[in-house]
């Protein structure tokens, strides 16, 4: 009965909206029935506070695959081993943290999609945080690599890897990117265009299409994904203190970073680009949700501290380390 009720509800509330929006140039306006969006003429911003899945793709998987097909026809994702031209002075630096051999295939696919970037000079910096260096010999020659050794029992600290990568980055725009996300070919070019418009912090993701493990016909479509791939001018990144390295383990660091970005100003989070997330089993801490230690730190401690005060603290800490 629950399934029938969901199907009937989707037929009444979601299918008509899907029929209007599941077309070239219009798919970015699809939303759930209880959400509202605003547009700046190019992208849209959903006013829903949290990450949410598109309900229609859960009830009718064919709708999800159609939405993904249309989005990727508008904004293709390419795949190549090497960028068309290498530069010592790139416009955009992709910074990726990594740990473990299990995610190496995901990382290599991610790098192939970044290498297919069009209309922008790019580089990629991979920071491997692990007890021993494991992946260096497996990376393409165009990728810059650094190893940050840690004790075997030290949890993954994504914030640390991103700060280390931005320190090495040569581009004036840095992309804080996950190792399991495929990007549109024009992603870097669109970031540069929005920076030329005056943006300093950018989140251009509209929908992220999460692939399933065994069924290519079934995708989860996620919006309001704060993190996974966000960007900033390099100067603005350090102006707000970079990432807070006290976020140890999964979660929280992207929310904190974006709070501080909004306080500093120059944010463009009107999304209009599609991304594809490669399947992998969820990290154990992710299953804990808000009970995960790093997530609790954000919601129960930092969220009560004004963002400008968090910026001041991080800038002071960074100055002391110099």
């Amino acid at each position: 009965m629950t399934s029938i009720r969901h199907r009937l509800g989707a037929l009444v509330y979601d299918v008509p909206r899907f029929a209007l929006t599941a077309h070239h140039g219009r798919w970015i306006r699809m939303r759930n029935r209880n959400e509202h969006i605003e547009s700046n003429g190019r992208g849209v911003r959903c006013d829903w506070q949290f990450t949410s899945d598109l309900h229609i793709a859960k009830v009718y998987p064919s709708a999800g695959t159609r939405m993904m097909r249309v989005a990727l026809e508008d904004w293709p994702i390419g795949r190549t081993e090497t960028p068309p031209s290498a530069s010592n002075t790139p416009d955009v630096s992709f910074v990726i943290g990594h740990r473990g051999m299990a995610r190496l295939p995901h990382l290599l696919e991610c790098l192939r999609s970044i290498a297919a970037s069009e209309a922008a000079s790019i580089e990629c910096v991979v920071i491997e945080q692990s007890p021993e260096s494991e992946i260096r010999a497996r990376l393409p020659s165009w990728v810059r690599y650094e190893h940050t050794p840690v004790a075997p029992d030290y949890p993954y600290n994504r914030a640390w890897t991103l700060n280390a990568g931005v320190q090495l980055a040569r581009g004036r725009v840095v992309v804080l990117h996950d190792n399991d996300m495929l990007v549109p070919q024009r992603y870097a070019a669109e970031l540069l265009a929005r920076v030329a418009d005056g943006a300093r912090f950018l989140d251009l993701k509209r929908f992220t299409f999460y692939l399933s493990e065994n069924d290519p016909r079934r995708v989860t479509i996620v919006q309001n994904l704060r993190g996974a791939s966000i960007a900033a001018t390099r100067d603005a990144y350090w102006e707000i203190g970079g990432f807070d390295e006290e976020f140890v383990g999964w979660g929280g660091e992207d929310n904190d970073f974006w709070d501080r970005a909004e306080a500093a100003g120059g944010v463009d989070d009107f999304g209009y680009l599609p991304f594809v997330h490669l399947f992998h089993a969820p990290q154990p801490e992710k299953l804990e949700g808000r009970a995960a230690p790093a997530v609790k730190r954000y919601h129960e401690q930092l969220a009560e501290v004004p963002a400008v005060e968090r910026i001041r603290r991080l800038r002071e800490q960074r100055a002391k380390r110099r």
Side-chain angles (χ1 to χ4, degrees):
M1 291 300 295
T2 301
S3 177
I4 293 174
R5 192 159 57 244
H6 283 169
R7 287 178 177 273
L8 289 175
L11 277 172
V12 173
Y13 296 106
D14 299 315
V15 169
R17 187 181 303 111
F18 178 80
L20 291 173
T21 58
H23 304 282
H24 296 291
R26 288 190 278 173
W27 55 271
I28 66 171
R29 301 192 66 85
M30 184 62 190
R31 59 175 175 81
N32 291 321
R33 68 192 73 164
N34 56 345
E35 298 169 347
H36 302 278
I37 57 175
E38 58 178 310
S39 173
N40 66 351
R42 179 186 302 106
V44 301
R45 174 195 289 151
C46 183
D47 69 358
W48 196 246
Q49 182 180 3
F50 305 107
T51 299
S52 62
D53 300 343
L54 276 188
H55 181 66
I56 192 170
K58 289 184 168 184
V59 179
Y60 297 107
S62 61
T65 54
R66 179 180 172 184
M67 181 78 77
M68 183 170 70
R69 176 179 57 78
V70 171
L72 296 183
E73 286 175 357
D74 283 352
W75 298 96
I77 290 175
R79 185 179 186 275
T80 189
E81 296 297 331
T82 307
S85 61
S87 172
N88 290 326
T89 57
D91 295 315
V92 178
S93 298
F94 285 81
V95 177
I96 302 176
H98 182 86
R99 177 180 291 185
M101 295 299 290
R103 294 278 182 90
L104 179 60
H106 301 73
L107 172 63
L108 294 177
E109 280 301 310
C110 171
L111 294 174
R112 292 181 184 109
S113 78
I114 293 171
S117 297
E118 295 179 344
S121 61
I122 59 138
E123 70 169 356
C124 189
V125 181
V126 171
I127 306 296
E128 183 180 21
Q129 184 186 87
S130 57
E132 303 291 338
S133 176
E134 296 181 301
I135 68 169
R136 184 170 197 160
R138 306 285 295 275
L139 296 179
S141 60
W142 65 274
V143 174
R144 300 173 65 205
Y145 168 89
E146 180 163 294
H147 179 238
T148 56
V150 293
D153 59 347
Y154 185 73
Y156 183 57
N157 186 328
R158 178 171 173 268
W160 180 7
T161 68
L162 295 177
N163 284 347
V166 175
Q167 288 275 18
L168 295 176
R170 297 176 296 201
R172 59 193 178 96
V173 176
V174 292
V175 185
L176 302 321
H177 195 71
D178 281 0
N179 63 359
D180 52 14
M181 293 280 285
L182 307 185
V183 305
Q185 290 175 290
R186 287 195 54 84
Y187 181 33
E190 293 300 313
L191 290 172
L192 291 175
R194 304 291 73 80
V195 169
D197 291 340
R200 303 194 306 151
F201 302 95
L202 308 98
D203 186 354
L204 302 186
K205 298 185 302 296
R206 177 58 185 121
F207 293 123
T208 301
F209 297 91
Y210 278 67
L211 303 183
S212 62
E213 182 176 13
N214 298 314
D215 187 353
R217 298 169 299 175
R218 186 176 293 273
V219 295
T220 301
I221 305 178
V222 177
Q223 63 181 348
N224 280 11
L225 182 62
R226 187 65 76 213
S229 190
I230 56 178
T233 65
R234 191 173 53 196
D235 290 344
Y237 181 91
W238 292 122
E239 179 186 313
I240 66 168
F243 271 81
D244 182 348
E245 295 180 15
E246 292 187 25
F247 280 97
V248 180
W250 178 83
E253 74 278 357
D254 288 311
N255 303 88
D256 168 64
F257 182 88
W258 202 255
D259 286 349
R260 290 182 281 116
E262 290 182 324
V267 163
D268 186 342
D269 59 352
F270 284 87
Y272 56 96
L273 297 179
F275 291 72
V276 171
H277 179 278
L278 300 173
F279 176 82
H280 59 77
Q283 295 167 261
E285 288 175 297
K286 187 172 184 178
L287 300 176
E288 299 179 35
R290 284 205 177 195
V295 178
K296 287 181 65 176
R297 177 174 183 262
Y298 171 72
H299 287 288
E300 298 181 8
Q301 299 177 34
L302 290 186
E304 300 300 318
V305 179
V308 290
E309 172 62 15
R310 286 182 256 163
I311 292 173
R312 185 190 65 78
R313 292 178 185 177
L314 289 173
R315 286 172 60 96
E316 285 185 356
Q317 292 171 13
R318 176 169 164 75
K320 290 177 181 178
R321 288 197 298 265
R322 288 178 174 175

